[in-house]
Coordinates of all heavy atoms in Angstrom, one line a residue:
Chain B
K205 N 46.7 42.6 -3.8 CA 45.3 42.2 -3.9 C 45.2 40.8 -3.4 O 46.1 40.0 -3.6 CB 44.9 42.3 -5.4 CG 44.8 43.7 -5.9 CD 44.2 43.7 -7.3 CE 44.2 45.2 -7.8 NZ 43.7 45.2 -9.2
R206 N 44.1 40.5 -2.8 CA 43.8 39.2 -2.3 C 44.1 38.1 -3.4 O 43.5 38.3 -4.5 CB 42.4 39.1 -1.7 CG 42.1 37.8 -0.9 CD 40.9 38.0 0.0 NE 39.8 38.5 -0.7 CZ 38.8 37.8 -1.2 NH1 38.8 36.5 -1.1 NH2 37.8 38.4 -1.8
G207 N 44.8 37.1 -3.0 CA 45.1 36.1 -4.0 C 46.4 36.2 -4.7 O 46.9 35.3 -5.3
Q208 N 47.1 37.4 -4.6 CA 48.4 37.6 -5.2 C 49.5 36.9 -4.4 O 49.3 36.7 -3.1 CB 48.7 39.1 -5.2 CG 48.3 39.8 -6.5 CD 48.8 41.2 -6.5 OE1 48.8 41.9 -5.5 NE2 49.2 41.7 -7.7
D209 N 50.6 36.6 -5.0 CA 51.7 36.1 -4.3 C 52.7 37.3 -4.0 O 52.8 38.2 -4.9 CB 52.5 35.1 -5.2 CG 51.7 33.8 -5.5 OD1 50.6 33.7 -4.9 OD2 52.1 33.0 -6.3
V210 N 53.4 37.3 -2.9 CA 54.3 38.3 -2.5 C 55.6 37.7 -2.1 O 55.7 36.5 -1.6 CB 53.8 39.3 -1.5 CG1 52.6 40.0 -2.0 CG2 53.6 38.6 -0.2
A211 N 56.7 38.4 -2.2 CA 58.0 38.0 -1.8 C 58.7 39.1 -1.0 O 58.8 40.2 -1.5 CB 58.9 37.5 -2.9
L212 N 59.1 38.8 0.2 CA 59.7 39.8 1.1 C 61.2 39.4 1.3 O 61.5 38.3 1.6 CB 59.0 39.9 2.4 CG 57.4 39.9 2.3 CD1 56.8 40.0 3.7 CD2 57.0 41.1 1.5
R213 N 62.1 40.4 1.2 CA 63.5 40.2 1.2 C 64.1 40.7 2.5 O 63.7 41.7 3.0 CB 64.2 40.8 0.0 CG 65.7 40.6 0.0 CD 66.3 41.5 -1.1 NE 67.7 41.5 -1.0 CZ 68.6 40.9 -1.8 NH1 68.1 40.1 -2.8 NH2 69.9 41.0 -1.7
C214 N 65.1 39.9 3.0 CA 65.8 40.3 4.2 C 67.3 40.2 3.9 O 67.8 39.1 3.5 CB 65.4 39.5 5.4 SG 66.5 39.8 6.9
D215 N 68.1 41.2 4.2 CA 69.5 41.2 4.2 C 70.0 41.3 5.6 O 70.0 42.4 6.2 CB 70.1 42.4 3.3 CG 69.9 42.2 1.8 OD1 68.8 42.4 1.3 OD2 70.9 41.7 1.2
P216 N 70.5 40.3 6.2 CA 71.0 40.3 7.5 C 72.3 41.0 7.7 O 72.9 41.4 6.6 CB 71.1 38.8 7.9 CG 71.5 38.2 6.6 CD 70.7 38.9 5.5
I217 N 72.7 41.3 8.9 CA 74.0 41.9 9.1 C 75.1 40.9 8.6 O 75.0 39.6 8.9 CB 74.2 42.2 10.6 CG1 73.3 43.3 11.0 CG2 75.7 42.5 10.9 CD1 73.2 43.5 12.5
S218 N 76.1 41.4 7.9 CA 77.1 40.5 7.3 C 77.7 39.6 8.3 O 78.2 40.1 9.4 CB 78.1 41.4 6.6 OG 79.1 40.6 6.0
G219 N 77.8 38.3 8.0 CA 78.4 37.4 8.8 C 77.6 36.8 9.9 O 78.0 35.8 10.6
H220 N 76.3 37.3 10.0 CA 75.4 36.7 11.1 C 74.9 35.3 10.7 O 74.5 35.1 9.6 CB 74.3 37.6 11.3 CG 74.6 38.7 12.3 ND1 73.6 39.5 12.9 CD2 75.7 39.2 12.8 CE1 74.2 40.3 13.8 NE2 75.5 40.2 13.7
V221 N 75.1 34.4 11.6 CA 74.7 33.0 11.4 C 73.2 32.8 11.4 O 72.7 32.1 10.6 CB 75.5 32.1 12.4 CG1 74.9 30.7 12.3 CG2 77.0 32.2 12.2
S222 N 72.6 33.4 12.4 CA 71.2 33.1 12.6 C 70.3 34.2 12.0 O 70.6 35.4 12.0 CB 70.9 33.0 14.1 OG 71.6 32.0 14.7
L223 N 69.2 33.7 11.4 CA 68.2 34.7 10.9 C 66.8 34.2 11.2 O 66.5 33.0 11.2 CB 68.4 34.7 9.3 CG 67.5 35.7 8.6 CD1 68.2 36.2 7.3 CD2 66.1 35.1 8.2
F224 N 66.0 35.2 11.6 CA 64.6 34.9 12.1 C 63.6 35.8 11.3 O 63.9 36.9 11.0 CB 64.5 35.3 13.6 CG 65.5 34.6 14.5 CD1 66.8 35.1 14.6 CD2 65.1 33.5 15.2 CE1 67.7 34.4 15.5 CE2 66.0 32.9 16.1 CZ 67.3 33.3 16.2
W225 N 62.4 35.2 11.1 CA 61.3 36.0 10.6 C 60.2 36.0 11.7 O 59.9 35.0 12.3 CB 60.7 35.4 9.4 CG 61.5 35.6 8.1 CD1 62.4 34.8 7.5 CD2 61.5 36.8 7.3 NE1 62.9 35.3 6.4 CE2 62.4 36.6 6.2 CE3 60.7 38.0 7.3 CZ2 62.5 37.5 5.2 CZ3 60.9 38.9 6.3 CH2 61.8 38.6 5.2
Y226 N 59.6 37.2 11.9 CA 58.5 37.4 12.8 C 57.4 38.2 12.1 O 57.7 38.9 11.2 CB 59.0 38.3 14.0 CG 60.0 37.6 14.9 CD1 61.4 37.7 14.6 CD2 59.6 36.9 16.1 CE1 62.3 37.1 15.5 CE2 60.6 36.4 16.9 CZ 61.9 36.5 16.6 OH 62.9 35.9 17.4
Q227 N 56.2 38.0 12.6 CA 55.0 38.7 12.0 C 54.4 39.5 13.2 O 54.2 39.0 14.3 CB 54.0 37.7 11.6 CG 52.7 38.2 11.0 CD 51.6 37.2 10.8 OE1 51.2 36.5 11.8 NE2 51.2 37.0 9.6
Q228 N 54.2 40.8 12.9 CA 53.6 41.7 13.9 C 52.3 42.3 13.4 O 52.3 43.1 12.5 CB 54.6 42.8 14.4 CG 54.1 43.6 15.5 CD 55.1 44.5 16.1 OE1 56.1 44.9 15.4 NE2 54.9 44.9 17.4
A229 N 51.2 41.8 14.0 CA 49.9 42.4 13.7 C 49.7 43.7 14.5 O 50.4 43.9 15.5 CB 48.8 41.4 14.0
L230 N 48.8 44.5 14.1 CA 48.6 45.8 14.7 C 48.2 45.6 16.1 O 47.3 44.8 16.5 CB 47.4 46.5 13.9 CG 47.2 48.0 14.3 CD1 48.5 48.8 13.9 CD2 46.0 48.5 13.6
G231 N 48.9 46.3 17.0 CA 48.6 46.3 18.5 C 49.1 45.1 19.2 O 48.8 44.9 20.4
Q232 N 49.9 44.2 18.5 CA 50.4 43.0 19.1 C 51.9 43.0 19.1 O 52.5 43.8 18.4 CB 49.9 41.8 18.3 CG 48.4 41.7 18.2 CD 47.8 41.4 19.6 OE1 48.2 40.6 20.4 NE2 46.7 42.2 19.9
G233 N 52.5 42.1 19.9 CA 53.9 41.9 19.8 C 54.3 41.0 18.7 O 53.4 40.3 18.1
P234 N 55.5 41.1 18.2 CA 56.0 40.2 17.1 C 55.7 38.7 17.5 O 55.9 38.3 18.6 CB 57.4 40.5 17.0 CG 57.6 41.9 17.5 CD 56.6 41.9 18.7
E235 N 55.4 37.9 16.5 CA 55.3 36.5 16.7 C 56.2 35.7 15.8 O 56.3 36.0 14.6 CB 53.8 36.0 16.4 CG 52.9 36.6 17.5 CD 51.6 35.8 17.6 OE1 51.4 34.8 16.9 OE2 50.7 36.2 18.4
F236 N 56.9 34.7 16.3 CA 57.9 34.0 15.6 C 57.3 33.2 14.4 O 56.2 32.6 14.6 CB 58.5 33.0 16.6 CG 59.4 32.0 15.9 CD1 60.7 32.3 15.6 CD2 59.0 30.7 15.6 CE1 61.6 31.3 15.0 CE2 59.8 29.7 15.0 CZ 61.1 30.1 14.7
L237 N 58.0 33.3 13.3 CA 57.6 32.5 12.1 C 58.5 31.3 11.8 O 58.1 30.2 11.8 CB 57.5 33.4 10.9 CG 56.4 34.4 10.9 CD1 56.5 35.3 9.6 CD2 55.0 33.8 11.0
T238 N 59.8 31.7 11.7 CA 60.8 30.7 11.3 C 62.2 31.1 11.6 O 62.5 32.3 11.8 CB 60.6 30.3 9.8 OG1 61.4 29.2 9.4 CG2 61.0 31.5 8.9
Y239 N 63.1 30.1 11.6 CA 64.5 30.4 12.0 C 65.5 29.6 11.1 O 65.2 28.4 10.8 CB 64.7 29.9 13.4 CG 66.1 29.7 13.9 CD1 67.0 30.8 14.0 CD2 66.6 28.4 14.2 CE1 68.3 30.6 14.4 CE2 67.9 28.2 14.7 CZ 68.8 29.3 14.7 OH 70.1 29.1 15.1
F240 N 66.5 30.3 10.7 CA 67.6 29.7 9.9 C 68.9 29.8 10.7 O 69.2 30.8 11.3 CB 67.8 30.4 8.6 CG 66.7 30.2 7.6 CD1 65.5 31.1 7.6 CD2 66.7 29.2 6.6 CE1 64.5 30.9 6.7 CE2 65.7 29.1 5.7 CZ 64.6 29.9 5.8
Q241 N 69.7 28.7 10.6 CA 71.1 28.8 11.0 C 71.9 28.5 9.7 O 71.8 27.4 9.2 CB 71.4 27.7 12.1 CG 72.8 27.9 12.6 CD 73.1 27.0 13.8 OE1 73.7 25.9 13.6 NE2 72.5 27.3 14.9
N242 N 72.6 29.5 9.2 CA 73.2 29.5 7.9 C 72.0 29.2 6.9 O 71.0 29.9 6.9 CB 74.3 28.5 7.8 CG 75.5 29.0 8.8 OD1 75.9 30.1 8.7 ND2 75.9 28.1 9.7
E243 N 72.2 28.2 6.1 CA 71.2 28.0 5.0 C 70.1 27.0 5.5 O 69.1 26.7 4.9 CB 71.8 27.4 3.8 CG 72.4 26.1 3.8 CD 73.8 26.1 4.5 OE1 74.3 27.1 4.9 OE2 74.5 25.0 4.5
A244 N 70.3 26.4 6.7 CA 69.4 25.4 7.2 C 68.2 26.0 7.9 O 68.4 26.8 8.9 CB 70.2 24.4 8.1
Q245 N 67.1 25.6 7.5 CA 65.8 26.1 8.2 C 65.6 25.1 9.4 O 65.1 24.0 9.2 CB 64.7 26.1 7.3 CG 63.4 26.8 7.9 CD 62.3 27.0 6.8 OE1 62.3 26.2 5.8 NE2 61.4 27.9 7.1
L246 N 65.9 25.5 10.6 CA 65.8 24.6 11.7 C 64.5 24.6 12.4 O 64.2 23.7 13.2 CB 67.0 24.9 12.7 CG 68.4 24.8 12.2 CD1 69.4 25.0 13.3 CD2 68.6 23.4 11.5
D247 N 63.7 25.7 12.2 CA 62.5 25.7 12.9 C 61.5 26.5 12.1 O 61.8 27.7 11.7 CB 62.6 26.4 14.3 CG 61.4 26.4 15.2 OD1 60.3 26.2 14.6 OD2 61.5 26.7 16.4
K248 N 60.4 25.9 11.7 CA 59.4 26.6 10.9 C 58.0 26.5 11.6 O 57.0 26.6 10.9 CB 59.4 26.2 9.4 CG 59.2 24.7 9.2 CD 59.3 24.4 7.7 CE 59.1 22.9 7.4 NZ 59.2 22.6 6.0
S249 N 58.1 26.2 12.9 CA 56.9 25.9 13.6 C 55.9 27.1 13.6 O 54.7 26.9 13.9 CB 57.2 25.5 15.0 OG 57.9 26.6 15.7
G250 N 56.3 28.3 13.4 CA 55.5 29.5 13.5 C 54.8 29.9 12.2 O 53.9 30.7 12.2
L251 N 55.1 29.2 11.1 CA 54.5 29.6 9.8 C 53.0 29.2 9.9 O 52.7 28.1 10.2 CB 55.2 28.8 8.7 CG 56.7 29.2 8.4 CD1 57.3 28.4 7.3 CD2 56.8 30.7 8.1
P252 N 52.1 30.2 9.6 CA 50.7 29.9 9.9 C 50.0 29.0 9.0 O 49.0 28.4 9.3 CB 50.1 31.4 9.8 CG 51.1 32.2 9.1 CD 52.4 31.6 9.2
S253 N 50.5 28.8 7.8 CA 49.9 27.9 6.8 C 50.9 27.5 5.8 O 52.0 28.1 5.7 CB 48.7 28.5 6.2 OG 49.1 29.4 5.2
D254 N 50.5 26.5 4.9 CA 51.5 26.1 3.9 C 51.5 27.2 2.7 O 52.2 27.0 1.8 CB 51.1 24.7 3.3 CG 49.7 24.7 2.8 OD1 49.0 25.8 2.7 OD2 49.2 23.6 2.4
R255 N 50.8 28.3 2.9 CA 51.0 29.4 1.9 C 52.3 30.2 2.2 O 52.7 31.0 1.4 CB 49.8 30.3 2.0 CG 48.5 29.7 1.6 CD 47.3 30.7 1.5 NE 47.0 31.3 2.8 CZ 47.4 32.5 3.2 NH1 48.1 33.3 2.3 NH2 47.1 32.9 4.4

Side-chain angles (χ1 to χ4, degrees):
Chain B
K205 291 183 179 178
R206 191 159 51 95
Q208 270 187 321
D209 297 350
V210 298
L212 313 180
R213 177 187 168 109
C214 172
D215 285 80
I217 294 171
S218 178
H220 275 196
V221 169
S222 297
L223 185 146
F224 303 81
W225 284 98
Y226 294 86
Q227 179 191 60
Q228 186 171 21
L230 190 63
Q232 302 296 315
E235 294 203 358
F236 170 81
L237 294 177
T238 188
Y239 163 65
F240 291 86
Q241 186 174 104
N242 297 307
E243 69 279 5
Q245 189 174 22
L246 299 185
D247 187 343
K248 54 182 181 179
S249 61
L251 295 176
S253 77
D254 59 7
R255 296 186 295 104

